[in-house]
């Protein structure tokens, strides 16, 4: 069965009441996506309910993070249970900013534990992996991605992969204007799929959707979408512009 394309917009720590309203209006009323693509937007947590009330109904709303377990005395955190209670279905975990910003520095262990709990509570997890510039330059892209995949696989069952989307985001390409060439992105995504085939199962590998993220734009999305192991995009800055619709529409170029 062909893998359904999936495009997500990570709004990061951006937005106001006015800008979110304007962006939602620019996306239009919806209803014209068809069955070829899933779409989600991930606003800052404080704006999620507001965004859900405004964004077209065929765009899902996602959280950018969640807590490692159930709620309780964890100031500032949001649990997977709460996300489900709000009628939301997606959460982004392991984003490079949460892995590498010195104020956060989440470990593979923490991220994979979050994934396990989120999956147990019915969420679809966008699991982000990717290498730093120095890791790519030293030929360690495959090693870094496989280490991060191994941490996840150690925590979840083969059946859980049905609700995992891998987002491959080379850290050096996020927000920099640099983008991996289609060949580089395809090579990394193919290696990810091969790792899943060898360490989980061939069937899981064939079914798992792999997004590319890193300075995706309306100008490069169609060429990237045509790569056989790229099943969508996790979009940063471009998701805050009306051009996001052009990126969503690139599913038509997918093989």
């Amino acid at each position: 069965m062909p893998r359904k394309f999936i495009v997500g917009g990570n709004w990061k720590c951006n937005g106001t009441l006015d800008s979110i309203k304007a962006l939602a209006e620019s996306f239009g009323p919806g209803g014209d996506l068809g069955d070829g693509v899933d779409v989600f937007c991930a606003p800052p947590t404080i704006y999620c309910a507001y965004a859900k009330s405004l964004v077209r109904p065929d765009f899902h709303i996602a959280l950018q993070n969640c807590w490692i377990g159930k709620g309780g005395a964890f100031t500032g955190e949001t649990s997977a249970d709460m996300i489900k209670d709000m009628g939301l279905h997606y959460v982004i975990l392991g984003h490079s900013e949460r892995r590498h910003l010195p104020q956060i520095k989440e470990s593979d262990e923490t991220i994979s534990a979050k994934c396990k709990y989120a999956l147990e509570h019915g969420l679809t997890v966008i699991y982000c992996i990717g290498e730093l510039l120095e890791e790519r330059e030293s030929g360690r892209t495959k090693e870094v991605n496989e280490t991060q995949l191994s941490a996840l696989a150690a925590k979840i069952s083969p059946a859980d992969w049905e609700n995992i989307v891998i987002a491959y985001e080379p850290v050096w390409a996020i927000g920099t204007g640099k983008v991996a060439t289609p060949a580089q992105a395809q090579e990394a995504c193919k290696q990810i799929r091969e790792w899943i085939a060898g360490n989980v199962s061939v069937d899981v590998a064939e079914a798992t959707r792999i997004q590319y993220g890193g300075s995706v734009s309306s100008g490069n999305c169609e060429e990237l979408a045509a790569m056989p192991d790229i099943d969508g995009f996790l979009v940063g800055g471009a998701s805050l512009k009306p051009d996001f619709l052009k990126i969503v529409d690139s599913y038509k170029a997918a093989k």
Side-chain angles (χ1 to χ4, degrees):
M1 175 180 286
R3 294 179 295 271
K4 189 175 184 180
F5 212 71
I6 180 167
V7 178
N10 181 9
W11 297 0
K12 304 189 179 184
C13 191
N14 293 294
T16 64
L17 294 174
D18 288 342
S19 70
I20 291 170
K21 182 178 180 182
L23 183 62
E25 289 173 350
S26 77
F27 291 160
D32 55 353
L33 279 184
D35 296 325
V37 61
D38 289 326
V39 183
F40 65 85
C41 296
T45 302
I46 195 169
Y47 292 125
C48 278
Y50 178 68
K52 184 182 179 186
S53 73
L54 294 174
V55 170
R56 50 192 286 174
D58 50 1
F59 282 18
H60 296 279
I61 296 296
L63 269 284
Q64 298 177 18
N65 182 42
C66 70
W67 176 235
I68 199 168
K70 67 180 181 179
F74 308 111
T75 300
E77 295 293 342
T78 302
S79 72
D81 317 66
M82 294 172 178
I83 298 171
K84 284 295 289 186
D85 192 44
M86 285 296 295
L88 307 179
H89 305 289
Y90 291 89
V91 62
I92 300 170
L93 294 172
H95 193 278
S96 64
E97 289 151 6
R98 299 200 62 84
R99 290 182 185 271
H100 298 296
L101 283 175
Q103 300 89 344
I104 304 175
K105 296 288 279 187
E106 287 187 352
S107 67
D108 289 341
E109 173 68 20
T110 294
I111 295 162
S112 58
K114 287 183 175 188
C115 290
K116 177 178 172 61
Y117 190 81
L119 290 165
E120 288 173 347
H121 289 77
L123 296 180
T124 293
V125 171
I126 313 301
Y127 182 68
C128 301
I129 65 174
E131 81 281 9
L132 299 167
L133 179 59
E134 57 265 32
E135 292 167 338
R136 170 164 281 275
E137 290 178 339
S138 62
R140 297 180 56 218
T141 295
K142 185 171 183 284
E143 174 192 342
V144 170
N145 287 338
E146 290 182 355
T147 296
Q148 294 170 353
L149 288 167
S150 295
L152 176 65
K155 289 283 189 183
I156 68 174
S157 72
D160 288 329
W161 285 82
E162 181 179 356
N163 293 310
I164 290 283
V165 176
I166 302 296
Y168 166 63
E169 296 195 297
V171 182
W172 49 271
I174 298 173
T176 63
K178 298 178 181 179
V179 63
T181 66
Q184 288 173 322
Q186 164 59 22
E187 178 184 41
C189 291
K190 181 180 179 183
Q191 289 172 347
I192 290 165
R193 200 174 305 284
E194 289 172 345
W195 186 92
I196 297 171
N199 292 272
V200 185
S201 78
V202 171
D203 287 346
V204 168
E206 286 301 311
T208 298
R209 295 184 287 181
I210 303 174
Q211 295 177 306
Y212 169 76
S215 298
V216 176
S217 71
S218 59
N220 60 31
C221 58
E222 287 194 5
E223 190 176 9
L224 288 162
M227 297 295 104
D229 287 294
I230 294 177
D231 306 313
F233 302 113
L234 185 58
V235 186
S239 69
L240 297 167
K241 303 173 184 177
D243 264 7
F244 181 62
L245 292 176
K246 294 182 181 178
I247 301 175
V248 170
D249 209 41
S250 69
Y251 78 91
K252 296 172 183 176
K255 291 182 178 177

